[in-house]
Amino acid sequence: MAEPSHTARVQTLLMFFYINIQMYITDIKDIKKLLLQTNKKVIAAFLYPIFTMGSGTGFLLLFILLLRFIPKKQVISLFIVGLLLTPAIIYVISTNDTAKRTADFVVAIADFDEKQLIKKDLSAAIRIVPTLHGAKKVTIFTKDGLFGKGVDADAGLTPLPSVDCGAGSFSIWYNFGIFSAIIFWSFTLFICFLRNDMVMSCFFWLFLCFFYGGLNIQIIWFTLALFLSYKYVTIKDYARNLG
């Protein structure tokens, strides 16, 4: 991919489908038993770049992917263990530049502080700040809000150091109007939605389709192709998975 954060997204999505396909083939629902039978080289091939590419997105996606496979009965016990390990976790974050940058950026997002977002991590800010600007600029009950301002009208809407960005996640709305945006968002969500895995499928839709904002973006269509392929492979449950 063009940059580490893109690679992290694609690899996490591939690993998610790999594990799900293994579950489908073996009919093993217990993640512990499944990992014992899973090719360890595949797991190593996924984890190595996640930990070495220097992308905060990789750590965030890895954490969310791990949450997907935590049994509900063990959530409380794991939460207690997490509290006990908090000092060690804080130490690891403070000594790892990528992990520390990710933690600082999450705090800045919570504060909605654009200047801090740019200061902490410009690469990540390029993805977040345009969406904040886009959300402020779009309207509903106006001509531009309904039908948009035109192709590439959001170009340069969000000037940032070293690059000018558009309206982020609201690019389609800003350029083509709310009706076009709703149609495209509904279309992509319909493809990504898995009834048996609603949380993770919606998460991937948000991170790989909605947040990218535009139409002609390879990651969006790559994501849609993978979801459709997965549904085709699990053809017995196709109607149910479609939602």
Side-chain angles (χ1 to χ4, degrees), residues 93-114:
I93 292 176
S94 63
T95 56
N96 185 289
D97 290 338
T98 302
K100 186 175 185 300
R101 193 174 76 240
T102 303
D104 292 341
F105 190 75
V106 170
V107 173
I109 292 176
D111 292 336
F112 291 99
D113 190 332
E114 292 183 11

Side-chain angles (χ1 to χ4, degrees), residues 53-137:
M53 70 175 65
S55 171
T57 302
F59 285 101
L60 177 62
L61 293 175
L62 175 61
F63 174 73
I64 295 175
L65 182 63
L66 291 175
L67 290 179
R68 157 65 176 81
F69 300 105
I70 295 177
K72 295 180 180 180
K73 296 180 180 180
Q74 299 181 12
V75 171
I76 296 178
S77 59
L78 288 174
F79 177 74
I80 295 174
V81 172
L83 289 178
L84 296 176
L85 293 177
T86 297
I89 295 173
I90 294 175
Y91 174 77
V92 171
I93 292 176
S94 63
T95 56
N96 185 289
D97 290 338
T98 302
K100 186 175 185 300
R101 193 174 76 240
T102 303
D104 292 341
F105 190 75
V106 170
V107 173
I109 292 176
D111 292 336
F112 291 99
D113 190 332
E114 292 183 11
K115 293 183 179 179
Q116 284 299 314
L117 288 173
I118 297 172
K119 181 180 179 180
K120 295 295 183 182
D121 192 336
L122 177 60
S123 176
I126 290 174
R127 295 164 183 80
I128 301 296
V129 175
T131 294
L132 298 179
H133 279 201
K136 296 175 183 177
K137 294 295 183 179

Side-chain angles (χ1 to χ4, degrees), residues 16-31 34 38 68-69 196-197 229-241:
F16 168 74
F17 280 127
Y18 175 76
I19 294 175
N20 276 16
I21 288 294
Q22 290 298 314
M23 286 182 168
Y24 177 78
I25 293 173
T26 62
D27 200 29
I28 298 176
K29 304 304 180 183
D30 189 332
I31 187 63
L34 181 69
T38 301
R68 157 65 176 81
F69 300 105
N196 292 337
D197 211 336
S229 299
Y230 173 73
K231 289 178 177 180
Y232 179 78
V233 170
T234 57
I235 193 68
K236 293 180 180 179
D237 297 322
Y238 187 71
R240 180 170 44 142
N241 282 334

Side-chain angles (χ1 to χ4, degrees), residues 11 14-15 18-19 22 31-51 62 65-66:
Q11 283 193 286
L14 288 171
M15 193 63 187
Y18 175 76
I19 294 175
Q22 290 298 314
I31 187 63
K32 294 180 180 178
K33 294 181 180 179
L34 181 69
L35 290 178
L36 292 176
Q37 299 185 22
T38 301
N39 190 328
K40 303 303 186 295
K41 292 181 180 179
V42 175
I43 298 176
F46 166 68
L47 292 177
Y48 179 77
I50 290 294
F51 282 106
L62 175 61
L65 182 63
L66 291 175

Side-chain angles (χ1 to χ4, degrees), residues 1 5 38 54 57 73 75 81 109 114 116 124 133 141 146 159-160 162-163 171 192 201 211 236:
M1 298 303 295
S5 64
T38 301
T57 302
K73 296 180 180 180
V75 171
V81 172
I109 292 176
E114 292 183 11
Q116 284 299 314
H133 279 201
F141 303 109
L146 294 174
L160 294 171
S162 75
V163 63
S171 177
C192 294
S201 61
F211 284 152
K236 293 180 180 179

